[in-house]
Amino acid sequence: MKHGLLIDMDGVIYSGENLIQGADKFIASLLKNNIPFTFMTNNSQRTRLEAVRKLKRLGINVTEDHVYTSAMATGKFLGDQGPGSTAYVLGEGGLLTSLHENGITLVDTDPEFVVLGEGRNFTLEMVQRAVDMILGGAKFITTNRDPSPKKPGWNNLGIAATTAMIEEATGRKAFVTGKPSPVMMRSARKYLGLETAETTVVGDTMETDIQGGVQMGYKTILVLSGIARKEDLSHYAFKPDLVVSSVEEIAFPLKWWEKVKAEPEVIDSKA
């Protein structure tokens, strides 16, 4: 049985523009040992190429095939739900590309879907137009509900805030495709060609990475190099399979990768 990893990026591999210590060696070990993995990110704004370029600047050399985004999960979901459907999009780069690749037509009037992703280029007027479209019957999808870090100077309102604004204005709840939604957790696993028992999630947030993994039956590793704090873990009704300070402490093979010895065959002497 093969095993592979779904790895979060911000807080696991890097923090802002800084590499987390040992993350480059961790990824190098995966590549050297041919362990399947993909970076699983809720960021729908950045394209896979942009993600690869950022990692390269930090000393990690991977290909676009090693990146799976909420934009990709959203595009695949809409492509499966309604091939050739139409969408009005509040989002940028990665999301627009993924929707196009999955045969979704982007329109400014009478869409079947309103799709919200991260971005800074859409205006309040565009949000109002999206509200009217949803009230007129369009289905509302958001790529994730990641909150704003609530720090002075943060240059992005945060998709959770924008989603809440549209939900309040329409009275309709958004369907979420990114982590911890099963939509993304399942499609990322299938993207790697893994079965449930072969999949391990590595992340720094209990509410997204770990919760999503637990709900899908995957093994989970929580790193404390990002958002999560060890003293807060007792507040949750679920727990990760392993807690480490950073990916630098993860050693392979993981303990649950050990093959179970086959039971000896019993031969019936009376047969």
Side-chain angles (χ1 to χ4, degrees), residues 162-193:
T162 313
T163 300
M165 178 169 60
I166 296 175
E167 287 178 335
E168 169 61 26
T170 61
R172 308 274 180 83
K173 286 291 184 183
F175 181 81
V176 183
T177 49
K179 300 181 295 184
S181 169
V183 171
M184 184 168 181
M185 303 303 294
R186 183 181 297 111
S187 62
R189 170 179 63 78
K190 290 183 176 181
Y191 174 77
L192 272 185

Side-chain angles (χ1 to χ4, degrees), residues 129-204:
R129 188 183 303 172
V131 167
D132 288 343
M133 291 171 175
I134 294 168
L135 290 173
K139 304 168 187 68
F140 183 27
I141 289 179
T142 186
T143 58
N144 64 82
R145 294 196 78 116
D146 286 1
S148 167
K150 300 172 181 64
K151 296 178 180 178
W154 185 249
N155 61 6
N156 193 324
L157 177 63
I159 191 169
T162 313
T163 300
M165 178 169 60
I166 296 175
E167 287 178 335
E168 169 61 26
T170 61
R172 308 274 180 83
K173 286 291 184 183
F175 181 81
V176 183
T177 49
K179 300 181 295 184
S181 169
V183 171
M184 184 168 181
M185 303 303 294
R186 183 181 297 111
S187 62
R189 170 179 63 78
K190 290 183 176 181
Y191 174 77
L192 272 185
L194 299 175
E195 299 296 330
T196 296
E198 300 169 336
T199 307
T200 297
V201 176
V202 183
D204 71 312

